[in-house]
Amino acid sequence: MVCLGNICRSPLAEGILKHKVRQNGFDWTVDSAGTGFWHSGELPDRRSIAVARKYGIDITDQRARQFRPDDFDRFDRILVMDTQNRRDVLRHARNDEHRAKVQLILDYLYPGQEENVPDPYYDDDGFEEVFRMLDAACDKLLEMP
Ligand code: 4NP
């Protein structure tokens, strides 16, 4: 799960998917990263922690890290929150196999629509909507990985 800062959207996506993976008894490795380095080592944003907690998910074990080129080798799928994240991640892709792993997470809900998960950083009220979008997208992902 990849966003810009790895403190708002992708930590929620990681927490939600890990929760569902555990509930379904799957053996998947789920992680998140940011294309930027500014928040490396930080906890998720307190507003992401709060909305996750409201839905019974603890994300306080997460620490932000920057996306690394070797993530292409470590993961089968790189799910990005928006088209800017996609551009930034694709810059590190070294072959077609890597490029094929990159997908907008909202493609699971709105295939081909190029829908972005809005960046809630400057909008306290946006976190609830982001949670719901990611929750619905992760449900689809589990149905049709
Ligand atoms: P995220 O949100 O990409 O969902 O983690 C942001 C976090 C921090 C900043 C921008 C977006 N920032 O500009 O510091």
Side-chain angles (χ1 to χ4, degrees), residues 34-115:
T35 56
F37 61 86
W38 313 281
H39 295 282
S40 289
E42 290 180 19
L43 274 166
D45 188 283
R46 61 184 163 72
R47 297 163 296 178
S48 287
I49 292 174
V51 74
R53 182 172 292 147
K54 178 178 163 189
Y55 291 99
I57 300 174
D58 180 13
I59 60 169
T60 58
D61 60 326
Q62 295 186 36
R63 298 294 179 272
R65 73 169 177 91
Q66 190 171 22
F67 181 82
R68 298 189 298 264
D70 77 338
D71 286 324
F72 279 115
D73 306 310
R74 297 174 55 222
F75 296 96
D76 299 317
R77 204 143 304 197
I78 313 275
L79 300 178
V80 295
M81 301 296 128
D82 63 36
T83 52
Q84 182 63 53
N85 306 149
R86 185 172 59 189
R87 274 193 293 277
D88 292 337
V89 160
L90 284 173
R91 259 197 281 278
H92 298 287
R94 299 184 299 286
N95 55 50
D96 285 345
E97 190 190 339
H98 290 173
R99 281 183 276 277
K101 292 182 177 185
V102 182
Q103 190 184 336
L104 288 168
I105 190 164
L106 290 187
D107 264 3
Y108 282 103
L109 293 176
Y110 314 110
Q113 304 278 298
E114 299 280 287
E115 286 283 338

Side-chain angles (χ1 to χ4, degrees), residues 3-11 38-39 119-122:
C3 64
L4 176 61
N6 193 210
I7 55 168
C8 296
R9 291 166 292 177
S10 60
W38 313 281
H39 295 282
D119 181 351
Y121 191 60
Y122 298 103

Side-chain angles (χ1 to χ4, degrees), residues 113-137:
Q113 304 278 298
E114 299 280 287
E115 286 283 338
N116 296 322
V117 179
D119 181 351
Y121 191 60
Y122 298 103
D123 171 20
D124 287 351
D125 296 331
F127 284 78
E128 180 82 29
E129 189 196 2
V130 165
F131 185 96
R132 289 189 201 169
M133 286 178 168
L134 293 173
D135 188 60

